Amino acid sequence: VFTLDRLHGEPVVLTFIATHCTDACPLINAQFAQVSRDLAIDHVRIHLLSITLDPENDPPSRMRAVAKQYDANAHYWQLATGSPSEVHRIMRSYNVLAQRDRRGYADIHTTYIYLLDKHGKLTKTILASTDFSADLYRELSVDWNRLME
């Protein structure tokens, strides 16, 4: 069982995705994959965490498939799901919104990246854009000392 508390002690970059999304989520996943490769090269201990925003439709097998598709290095990037009540509680704590379409999928949703310090405190919110990976990596490099305080 995975909990956010397991990541305390190291900074975390958090986002929420849906495996069926064909818009923002593949872009976020691709850029998280790039940042995780950069972190691995530099041996920087920052965790990337993608939590489903559609736990009703994203079981562990779907999250594993996305991790495999983007070659997620588990030392740096984890993809998580959970019970709907638990995931929705976490979403509320970050003000993540998702609207369901007529098929029941969380189709329209928030696309933010949350930067947490080593204590789990939110330090910055970044809007996911078409090319945020370089900005995010630069942000992590600049703020490393502050994130580790």
Side-chain angles (χ1 to χ4, degrees), residues 100-117:
R100 298 204 175 276
D101 64 14
R102 64 179 179 268
R103 298 170 301 156
Y105 290 109
D107 193 33
I108 300 170
H109 56 81
T110 305
T111 57
Y112 287 104
I113 311 300
Y114 305 91
L115 185 55
L116 311 176
D117 69 12

Side-chain angles (χ1 to χ4, degrees), residues 42-149:
D42 291 344
H43 305 289
V44 176
R45 292 305 301 168
I46 294 176
H47 286 282
L48 305 176
L49 176 61
S50 299
I51 300 175
T52 182
L53 52 76
D54 194 0
E56 295 84 358
N57 295 300
D58 288 340
S61 61
R62 295 281 312 239
M63 298 303 281
R64 277 192 297 277
V66 170
K68 184 176 181 180
Q69 177 184 356
Y70 288 92
D71 197 26
N73 180 335
H75 292 291
Y76 296 96
W77 182 20
Q78 296 174 326
L79 289 89
T81 188
S83 71
S85 62
E86 180 97 356
V87 170
H88 292 299
R89 181 185 60 75
I90 295 169
M91 288 171 61
R92 281 190 303 276
S93 71
Y94 289 95
N95 297 313
V96 174
L97 303 174
Q99 181 180 350
R100 298 204 175 276
D101 64 14
R102 64 179 179 268
R103 298 170 301 156
Y105 290 109
D107 193 33
I108 300 170
H109 56 81
T110 305
T111 57
Y112 287 104
I113 311 300
Y114 305 91
L115 185 55
L116 311 176
D117 69 12
K118 74 174 193 171
H119 304 290
K121 180 183 175 211
L122 178 64
T123 62
K124 186 170 258 186
T125 302
I126 303 167
L127 179 62
S129 63
T130 56
D131 186 22
F132 69 85
S133 61
D135 292 338
L136 177 59
Y137 191 74
R138 189 170 32 259
E139 185 86 30
L140 294 172
S141 299
V142 169
D143 285 347
W144 174 251
N145 289 330
R146 184 177 54 83
L147 293 169
M148 291 305 293
E149 291 177 351

Side-chain angles (χ1 to χ4, degrees), residues 23-37:
D23 189 19
C25 296
L27 174 66
I28 292 169
N29 291 337
Q31 293 189 65
F32 262 47
Q34 180 60 54
V35 171
S36 71
R37 286 189 293 273

